[in-house]
Amino acid sequence: QVQLQESGPGLVKPSETLSLTCNVSGESIINKYWSWIRQPPGKGLEWVGCIYISGKTDYNPSLKGRVTISVDTSKNQLSLQLRSVTAADTAVYYCARDPGTIFGMVNYFDYWGQGRLVTVSS
Amino acid sequence: QSVLTQPPSASGTPGQTVTVSCSGSGSNIGSNSVYWYQHLPGAAPKLLIYRSNRRPSGVPDRFSGSKSGTSASLAISGLRSEDEADYYCAAWDDSGHNYVFGTGTMVTVL
């Protein structure tokens, strides 16, 4: 059974960097594609970005320049860094799996973490 | 803001059929598959429909999806109290090179 669990600080100061980790169990992280998705309070879901099997990344254009997604294969973990945060970055952040293969992503998410609320405030 | 538009709310009584619409454009729904997620408060979103009309194993056949042109819809038949949740459509958008979610629809069981 694939399980994902987000962790990281729940409070980040404005202008600082938000850093989250997603621990993946039940699946080797190098076999699939992984995304971060967020939901601001009272709002809808927003795709943050993804990392491919090849290590290539894609990011939401609205966040480009501030976001980095990476993997640590030795720890089977996915990471998110979002720089220069503002109150608008306050959200529940989810990590999720795209069950695609080496032939490509399937563009849906079949396993999700429970989410981590990150509040940006001084 | 989202490029996929959904009605903010929909409702029905137990046993009824509720339909949630999702309107997009040629660069997303018009040229790619549509996905539907159910999101209960405090829980992780759950995949309900993939490739516009397919159900993952374990999803009841009360949930069905369809797509026509640049619009898609999710139908929930035999509505149950446990279906009360937020529902989101989603698709890859070619022009923005971006995965987009719909604005979300809150389904209420009266």
Side-chain angles (χ1 to χ4, degrees):
Chain A
Q1 177 76 356
V2 178
Q3 292 186 316
L4 291 75
Q5 179 65 59
E6 304 89 349
S7 62
L11 181 64
V12 180
K13 290 182 167 55
S15 80
E16 295 190 345
T17 297
L18 180 159
S19 295
L20 292 175
T21 297
C22 174
N23 190 63
V24 178
S25 59
E27 169 89 74
S28 173
I29 202 164
I30 64 171
N31 288 341
K32 297 297 179 189
Y33 303 83
W34 308 91
S35 277
W36 286 96
I37 294 150
R38 69 181 184 177
Q39 184 177 33
K43 296 187 178 180
L45 299 169
E46 179 184 35
W47 179 74
V48 173
C50 68
I51 187 162
Y52 297 85
I53 286 175
S54 63
K56 178 180 177 294
T57 51
D58 255 335
Y59 301 122
N60 188 317
S62 70
L63 299 173
K64 229 166 192 175
R66 294 201 296 132
V67 61
T68 301
I69 294 175
S70 60
V71 296
D72 184 333
T73 55
S74 67
K75 296 181 180 178
N76 220 42
Q77 286 179 344
L78 172 72
S79 293
L80 169 70
Q81 285 198 321
L82 184 63
R83 296 172 289 280
S84 304
V85 296
T86 69
D89 296 310
T90 294
V92 175
Y93 286 79
Y94 297 95
C95 54
R97 186 188 86 157
D98 178 312
T101 67
I102 57 171
F103 301 108
M105 297 176 70
V106 292
N107 286 329
Y108 61 84
F109 309 109
D110 59 351
Y111 287 99
W112 297 63
Q114 284 301 302
R116 178 69 174 158
L117 173 62
V118 180
T119 301
V120 178
S121 175
S122 54
Chain B
Q1 66 270 16
S2 175
V3 298
L4 302 182
T5 304
Q6 299 179 234
S9 63
S11 62
T13 56
Q16 280 190 329
T17 296
V18 166
T19 300
V20 179
S21 61
C22 175
S23 177
S25 67
S27 64
N28 42 67
I29 294 178
S31 49
N32 295 301
S33 292
V34 179
Y35 310 94
W36 289 91
Y37 298 90
Q38 178 191 59
H39 194 192
L40 293 161
K46 173 186 174 183
L47 178 69
L48 283 181
I49 299 288
Y50 67 102
R51 290 183 198 158
S52 304
N53 57 13
R54 299 188 184 185
R55 281 185 308 276
S57 61
V59 173
D61 59 6
R62 301 186 296 105
F63 294 92
S64 62
S66 63
K67 186 183 98 164
S68 179
T70 59
S71 294
S73 62
L74 171 73
I76 310 172
S77 62
L79 195 64
R80 296 183 174 186
S81 58
E82 57 258 39
D83 298 332
E84 202 161 87
D86 293 325
Y87 292 83
Y88 293 90
C89 59
W92 182 260
D93 185 274
D94 292 330
S95 65
H97 199 69
N98 186 22
Y99 192 83
V100 291
F101 287 94
T103 48
T105 299
M106 180 185 296
V107 170
T108 302
V109 181
L110 302 171

